[in-house]
Amino acid sequence: MTTYFAREESIFFKQGHQPSHAIATIANAYLGSNPAHGFTFRTIHQDSFKQMEDGRYDMNLNAKFSDAAFGSYGYAFAGLYSEQEGTIELSLSCYGPVRIYLNNALLYKSTMDDDVNIHHRKTFQASLRKGWNAFFIKLLKTASGFGCQFGSSNGKWFPLHYLSPFTERSGMGGWAYSSPVAEDCFPDHQLPCFHSLQSDIERQHNVTWLPLLQPPIAAESGADLQELFSTESGDVAYAWTSFTLDSHADETCQIHLSSTGKLRLWLDQSLAAELDAGGSSTVTYTVPRGRHDCLIEITRHAQAWRFTLDITQTGSPLPLLLPTHVHGTASRWLYAGPFTERMESPEKMRTLQRLFISPSSAEDDLSNAQYWRTGETDCFVRPYLENERHAKWNYPLGVTLYGLLQTGRELGRQDLVQYVIEHVQSCTNLYAYSLWDKVRYGSPAINHQLVELNMLDDCGSFGSAMLEVNREADDPTIRRLAHKLGNYMLYQQERKEDGAFYRQRSGEYQENTLWADDLYMSTPFLCRYYEMTGDLSYITNAARQFMLFKNYLFIPEHNIMSHVYDFKYETSTYIPWGRGNGWVLFSLSELLAVLPETHELRGELIDFFRTLADGYLKLQGANGLWHQILTDHTSYEEASCTAMFTYAFCRGIRYGWLDQPELYAGAARRAWEGLTKLAIDKSGNVYGVCRGSGYSFTPLYYKNELNWILNDTHGIGIVLLCGIEYMKMQAL
């Protein structure tokens, strides 16, 4: 028996095995640990080091200082903030000799092999402390080059976005780097402090740190846009600021405007003033207490492009404020443009949650798109994903959000429903931006998996949750993205000659393999996309995948599935991993729930469901839970596969797919009681969920190396869904 906590700590001990209470407690615990903070918006200078497609930073100082002499030194400096102690894996390729320091201690010194081959990748680990972690890099110019490529060893799954050092750059994204110097001015015992004043470091060591910082070109009350947009084409721009009225009642304010060309001003949602040919004007407006946005549209006139805005109340000026929270800027204004034409509904531009595309451009034409910038020269606003979970797009969170959404619906908890909608729309609203961000900065700071989109993990699970959310949100942006995902899955995802989804992944450990997991990474989305479009080809494709995967993975002596088929060896691994099998039966229940009764494969699929259910029924453990390796009851009791088998059994009973439903009802009852006694504690924490897996031909990997993680997102949503289906079965 696997023991995760004392029995007195279980949710069963406190409340019995009432599923409604258990799922409410789990959902509350998740929301409490993962508040809906959204993205963090920071200023970044356009001359910062760009990232490469793999997410590492290309610190090629030869490209910036081609005339630097051999033997010159250069430096790069940035920090990572960590909410807890932990270990990260880093990757380095060298143009020349490199030394990397972490928190003032030497972390890695490049070798001879590193120094002479930029295509050589060295991976190593770094231990982060809680709080700020300062990375300082010394670079030496030789004939081979000057600089390095450095960052996360897996920028898609574990992106690292470094933040700027020095008090003057506080809150900015990106690395600071120095101009070349003839001698090393930072010996190992005199490295600069992350929170130092840059001006002090430059004066003490006679070194210049870049990119150069300039004060905002705009005064508080306006700007010369000709200077801000000096090298860019387009004649229309937008400026956004705000002010606060602290009175206890509505007050009359005077809005004083001047411009060199046509200007329109929106106060919150309302058009408040216009200057058709420049000049100046004062308008009086009655304003309620609180914070208010001002958005200005101004058109260039000849070579002049200036405006001012002053707001007074009873003769006293009201200070203008940055309209939304952006780190790393002293500007009171944000700017978007220049555009070649006016934007439609400019009053709706007062958001950081969208990229701005000209009305005459196609939706997917991002070549002339614009996003907000600050008043500092060459500084732009950039969203960063700095949450562990909220606003993140990945497959485990897809099933987590599905579970939370269904819990909200089942319990009448609109707060849960809204939480899931906000998470999904955080990703979808800025999807176009994230594509543009990748082009501009080399690698996206948000939506990493969605942007890369080169395997089923990137789209199916979260895409399925997204379509479920759209039953609530009815969002055209979601529908457009769903079409993109559907097109990828049907026409771009790798398939074997027989049509089975597989992982080509050339050069990776998983090259040329087929995984049971991918039935979940594909078919629930295809089912919901069929429901959205009415196109039978999508659900037919889903149905065929099950029969194709059966050909590769089915283990007839147990009526269960192997985890992986490896085409390099033309054999399955014959390892019946618990969650891999859970994905199969869970997903098959999703398919059967919507597959038309007249579909040609329905009878065959119901037979397959019954066969698998019979195999799993016979392998249930003594405590009601199934094991990490289904056929090895000395492996640990695993919560996520237990929840998925229970979910599918309950559905099979409810929909009438199973013979002898009383046997499966008993198994479901034992499983739910086992989960509430052994895997869910009184605070709603979920134990015994296997972490994300690789694959192996040896069961020892699954048994001894593939450990469980507390509150892993591979299991939270599944346990919620299990509880909901158990409630529905009980109500029969």
Side-chain angles (χ1 to χ4, degrees):
M1 173 178 171
T2 309
T3 302
Y4 295 115
F5 44 74
R7 72 182 186 90
E8 291 81 6
E9 295 297 312
S10 71
I11 199 164
F12 178 88
F13 188 85
K14 294 295 181 182
Q15 295 289 336
H17 55 79
Q18 299 174 4
S20 60
H21 179 82
I23 63 176
T25 304
I26 295 168
N28 291 340
Y30 184 88
L31 265 63
S33 300
N34 300 279
H37 289 321
F39 300 120
T40 301
F41 294 88
R42 299 185 178 277
T43 304
I44 186 169
H45 196 285
Q46 70 173 12
D47 290 337
S48 297
F49 289 132
K50 299 297 188 289
Q51 292 173 267
M52 303 185 301
E53 192 168 345
D54 65 7
R56 296 185 300 165
Y57 291 83
D58 188 13
M59 304 180 186
N60 186 356
L61 293 188
N62 253 355
K64 294 183 177 291
F65 309 106
S66 57
D67 57 349
F70 292 155
S72 296
Y73 283 87
Y75 308 98
F77 197 13
L80 289 176
Y81 189 87
S82 180
E83 295 184 356
Q84 58 190 2
E85 293 182 354
T87 302
I88 58 174
E89 187 173 83
L90 300 168
S91 174
L92 173 70
S93 299
C94 299
Y95 294 109
V98 175
R99 288 191 177 207
I100 300 176
Y101 300 82
L102 172 57
N103 297 326
N104 296 315
L106 182 64
L107 175 66
Y108 185 77
K109 177 181 180 294
S110 62
T111 66
M112 178 182 66
D113 290 341
D114 299 329
D115 295 347
V116 298
N117 186 1
I118 186 61
H119 301 294
H120 174 69
R121 290 182 62 139
K122 174 67 178 180
T123 59
F124 51 94
Q125 293 189 326
S127 296
L128 300 184
R129 64 193 182 192
K130 183 177 180 180
W132 280 105
N133 294 268
F135 285 79
F136 187 82
I137 302 180
K138 286 187 184 182
L139 307 163
L140 178 66
K141 179 163 183 178
T142 66
S144 66
F146 190 16
C148 67
Q149 298 168 353
F150 176 69
S152 172
S153 65
N154 188 335
K156 177 180 177 180
W157 283 91
F158 305 106
L160 297 174
H161 294 285
Y162 287 82
L163 305 180
S164 299
F166 303 128
T167 300
E168 295 93 328
R169 299 175 188 265
S170 178
M172 295 183 69
W175 290 76
Y177 57 93
S178 75
S179 56
V181 293
E183 297 180 354
D184 184 8
C185 55
F186 294 110
D188 290 4
H189 62 283
Q190 290 185 359
L191 301 181
C193 174
F194 185 77
H195 296 293
S196 300
L197 283 170
Q198 176 180 313
S199 56
D200 288 348
I201 300 298
E202 289 182 326
R203 183 178 63 257
Q204 293 165 9
H205 297 276
N206 195 27
V207 62
T208 300
W209 287 97
L210 305 166
L212 289 174
L213 295 181
Q214 304 288 347
I217 65 169
E220 178 181 337
S221 60
D224 185 344
L225 301 186
Q226 191 70 25
E227 184 177 352
L228 187 66
F229 301 125
S230 59
T231 62
E232 301 174 64
S233 60
D235 296 320
V236 181
Y238 296 86
W240 180 23
T241 189
S242 67
F243 67 94
T244 297
L245 196 63
D246 291 327
S247 62
H248 297 289
D250 294 357
E251 291 285 348
T252 299
C253 295
Q254 289 72 45
I255 301 173
H256 311 280
L257 290 164
S258 72
S259 74
T260 57
K262 184 176 178 62
L263 179 147
R264 295 192 291 174
L265 166 70
W266 283 265
L267 181 59
D268 298 325
Q269 294 285 347
S270 301
L271 182 63
E274 291 187 79
L275 296 175
D276 289 331
S280 61
S281 177
T282 296
V283 296
T284 299
Y285 221 87
T286 301
V287 182
R289 65 172 299 183
R291 188 147 182 163
H292 300 278
D293 282 349
C294 296
L295 183 80
I296 285 178
E297 175 191 84
I298 180 170
T299 303
R300 189 198 314 256
H301 178 70
Q303 295 303 309
W305 208 1
R306 296 185 303 276
F307 75 92
T308 63
L309 168 69
D310 294 287
I311 302 175
T312 59
Q313 176 194 3
T314 61
S316 300
L318 294 176
L320 298 181
L321 308 168
L322 192 67
T324 189
H325 192 40
V326 177
H327 296 268
T329 179
S331 177
R332 308 287 182 94
W333 294 81
L334 297 180
Y335 303 90
F339 299 93
T340 57
E341 58 185 325
R342 290 180 172 181
M343 298 294 292
E344 295 178 348
S345 304
E347 68 276 10
K348 297 180 180 179
M349 292 180 66
R350 299 174 297 109
T351 178
L352 298 179
Q353 303 299 323
R354 59 175 284 210
L355 182 71
F356 302 116
I357 302 171
S358 295
S360 61
S361 298
E363 287 181 355
D364 58 351
D365 180 7
L366 307 181
S367 57
N368 295 311
Q370 297 287 351
Y371 194 64
W372 294 107
R373 67 180 78 188
T374 67
E376 292 90 357
T377 303
D378 297 329
C379 286
F380 291 78
V381 179
R382 191 183 190 197
Y384 289 83
L385 177 62
E386 297 182 1
N387 308 318
E388 182 182 359
R389 292 176 178 171
H390 193 75
K392 189 174 189 176
W393 176 293
N394 71 15
Y395 84 79
L397 284 169
V399 70
T400 302
L401 295 174
Y402 179 33
L404 288 168
L405 180 63
Q406 293 292 72
T407 301
R409 290 167 170 168
E410 188 67 22
L411 300 182
R413 290 274 303 275
Q414 188 58 33
D415 61 320
L416 296 178
V417 173
Q418 190 59 37
Y419 176 91
V420 176
I421 292 172
E422 289 177 7
H423 183 138
V424 170
Q425 289 185 326
S426 292
C427 301
T428 57
N429 287 344
L430 281 175
Y431 171 62
Y433 170 84
S434 59
L435 297 175
W436 180 84
D437 183 281
K438 179 181 179 180
V439 173
R440 185 174 186 86
Y441 301 108
S443 182
I446 60 174
N447 285 339
H448 301 86
Q449 285 183 254
L450 178 59
V451 171
E452 189 158 334
L453 191 55
N454 59 9
M455 62 188 303
L456 292 170
D457 280 4
D458 299 336
C459 56
S461 173
F462 202 101
S464 176
M466 177 187 77
L467 288 178
E468 199 61 40
V469 159
N470 208 42
R471 301 182 197 273
E472 309 285 338
D474 191 23
D475 184 342
T477 301
I478 288 179
R479 289 195 294 274
R480 287 194 296 271
L481 183 52
H483 292 317
K484 183 177 182 66
L485 301 185
N487 181 76
Y488 169 81
M489 206 171 286
L490 209 59
Y491 301 111
Q492 298 175 51
Q493 165 63 31
E494 300 104 334
R495 298 170 183 256
K496 300 303 287 186
E497 293 79 3
D498 58 8
F501 292 141
Y502 82 114
R503 304 186 183 192
Q504 189 174 26
R505 314 306 296 167
S506 298
E508 298 183 14
Y509 80 93
Q510 58 185 315
E511 181 177 357
N512 206 10
T513 54
L514 178 148
W515 295 48
D517 315 45
D518 284 345
L519 286 173
Y520 181 75
M521 307 308 157
S522 58
T523 57
F525 172 83
L526 290 170
C527 292
R528 287 174 174 79
Y529 192 58
Y530 153 72
E531 291 182 292
M532 186 184 105
T533 64
D535 188 337
L536 194 65
S537 65
Y538 290 97
I539 200 164
T540 295
N541 203 283
R544 289 175 178 164
Q545 291 302 319
F546 280 95
M547 307 318 301
L548 292 167
F549 274 56
K550 179 184 177 184
N551 293 339
Y552 291 108
L553 300 177
F554 187 61
I555 303 175
E557 54 266 37
H558 295 294
N559 287 341
I560 57 179
M561 301 283 272
S562 172
H563 181 206
V564 169
Y565 190 97
D566 193 327
F567 292 101
K568 297 187 293 296
Y569 304 102
E570 291 298 342
T571 182
S572 75
T573 60
Y574 290 96
I575 309 294
W577 177 45
R579 188 162 64 238
N581 278 266
W583 289 133
V584 175
L585 197 66
F586 178 94
S587 302
L588 185 50
S589 76
E590 294 276 284
L591 172 65
L592 290 174
V594 298
L595 188 69
E597 293 287 335
T598 57
H599 196 279
E600 59 182 355
L601 292 177
R602 184 171 180 83
E604 195 172 353
L605 288 165
I606 287 179
D607 287 344
F608 186 35
F609 182 88
R610 290 170 177 165
T611 298
L612 290 172
D614 177 67
Y616 301 136
L617 180 67
K618 292 174 180 176
L619 293 171
Q620 187 175 23
N623 297 307
L625 279 68
W626 280 263
H627 290 260
Q628 166 75 343
I629 300 174
L630 294 178
T631 53
D632 181 357
H633 284 202
T634 65
S635 62
Y636 65 85
E637 293 168 308
E638 205 280 328
S640 67
C641 72
T642 297
M644 284 194 273
F645 295 145
T646 307
Y647 174 92
F649 285 2
C650 292
R651 286 195 128 196
I653 294 165
R654 191 157 63 87
Y655 283 102
W657 304 327
L658 290 170
D659 298 325
Q660 297 182 293
E662 65 280 357
L663 291 179
Y664 294 97
R669 176 184 54 76
R670 290 192 300 274
W672 181 252
E673 288 188 8
L675 287 169
T676 56
K677 289 178 179 179
L678 302 175
I680 307 169
D681 74 12
K682 64 182 181 181
S683 299
N685 296 302
V686 178
Y687 294 71
V689 177
C690 177
R691 65 179 173 85
S693 78
Y695 82 102
S696 176
F697 281 91
T698 171
L700 296 178
Y701 163 73
Y702 296 87
K703 184 175 181 178
N704 299 330
E705 297 181 41
L706 201 53
N707 300 320
W708 66 272
I709 295 178
L710 180 65
N711 290 327
D712 190 278
T713 50
H714 291 85
I716 293 173
I718 290 294
V719 171
L720 292 172
L721 293 166
C722 169
I724 292 168
E725 281 298 331
Y726 185 66
M727 289 169 60
K728 291 179 178 179
M729 187 195 73
Q730 287 183 310
L732 293 177

